[in-house]
Amino acid sequence: MENKVTSATAEQTQKLGKQLGGCLRGGDVVALIGDLGAGKTAFAQGVGEAFCVKGPMTSPTFTLIHEYLGQIEGTEVRLVHMDLYRLQHPEEAEVIGVEDAFQENAVCLIEWPEIIEDYLPDDRLIVEISGSGEQPREIIFRAKGFEWEHRIKGMTEVI
Ligand SMILES: Nc1ncnc2c1ncn2[C@@H]1O[C@H](COP(=O)(O)OP(=O)(O)O)[C@@H](O)[C@H]1O
Ligand SMILES: [Mg+2]
C-alpha cells in the first residue's frame, strides 16, 4: 500500500514529518529516499519536532549520524538521524555503528538508505520524496506489511 501527498513548501514537508512522528515508536526504521535537496532533512526535522527534540536538528552530512534524545508520550527514546550519502562501501556501515541504531529504544531515520540495503531491517517504512527547487514535492509513504499500512492510514494530506 502507498499514500501520496503533495507538499507545496518546506514547512509543509516538515509538518508531514511531524505527523508521521506522531505514529512512530521505539524500534521503527524509516528510509528517506530522494535526490539532494528533495527535502529529506526537512522531513526528519519534523519528526524531531514530534519527539520534542531540543536544539536544532542539522544535516548529518559530514558526521553521517546524529543522535538526539526525544520523548514519546513521556518515555525517552533515542532519535537517530543518518545521512549515508558519503558512505563509499556498505561494509562501512558496521564501522560507523549503523546496526546499533536498530534497537527497541531508538527510532531511526535514514537518508540515502540504498547503500546499506542489506543491513536494513525488512520491517521499515519507506518515504520517497520527489521534486526539487521551489517546485511542490510529491511524498510517497510506502508501507511494507499490514502493520505499517495500518499506521500510515492517516498520512494522506498535510493537516
Ligand atoms: N515542498 C518542499 N519540501 C521540502 N523542501 C522544500 C520544498 N520546497 C522547497 N524546499 C527547499 O528544498 C530544500 C530541501 O533541503 P533538505 O531538506 O536539506 O533536502 P535533502 O535532505 O533531501 O537533501 C530546502 O532548501 C527547502 O527550503
Ligand atoms: Mg539531507
Side-chain angles (χ1 to χ4, degrees):
M1 185 189 99
E2 57 180 54
N3 284 354
K4 270 186 208 174
V5 190
T6 301
S7 161
T9 61
E11 291 69 32
Q12 285 196 352
T13 297
Q14 193 164 337
K15 243 180 158 180
L16 274 165
K18 189 173 178 187
Q19 270 171 243
L20 178 72
C23 33
L24 295 178
R25 54 177 176 254
D28 286 343
V29 174
V30 179
L32 295 167
I33 296 178
D35 286 340
L36 276 179
K40 302 179 293 298
T41 297
F43 186 92
Q45 286 165 337
V47 175
E49 222 183 292
F51 285 16
C52 304
V53 162
K54 291 195 193 81
M57 264 180 82
T58 54
S59 176
T61 311
F62 297 102
T63 46
L64 308 183
I65 301 183
H66 282 171
E67 185 166 329
Y68 305 87
L69 202 55
Q71 291 199 349
I72 298 177
E73 290 166 359
T75 304
E76 281 191 345
V77 62
R78 293 156 62 210
L79 180 63
V80 181
H81 180 199
M82 301 185 197
D83 180 338
L84 305 181
Y85 184 67
R86 283 163 197 274
L87 211 65
Q88 306 270 348
H89 307 285
E91 301 75 42
E92 287 168 11
E94 289 174 28
V95 179
I96 64 167
V98 160
E99 282 166 302
D100 180 48
F102 306 146
Q103 313 239 342
E104 284 308 303
N105 67 346
V107 169
C108 188
L109 310 174
I110 313 177
E111 298 185 35
W112 300 99
E114 297 91 337
I115 186 141
I116 58 157
E117 185 81 38
D118 292 345
Y119 291 86
L120 292 177
D122 287 337
D123 183 7
R124 61 183 187 262
L125 177 70
I126 296 169
V127 178
E128 226 173 287
I129 308 177
S130 50
S132 61
E134 293 314 304
Q135 295 166 354
R137 305 297 195 264
E138 181 173 79
I139 303 183
I140 303 177
F141 297 88
R142 287 188 207 284
K144 278 186 149 191
F146 174 78
E147 160 87 21
W148 277 114
E149 277 183 21
H150 182 69
R151 285 164 70 190
I152 64 157
K153 257 191 193 132
M155 300 295 304
T156 50
E157 57 178 335
V158 190
I159 303 170

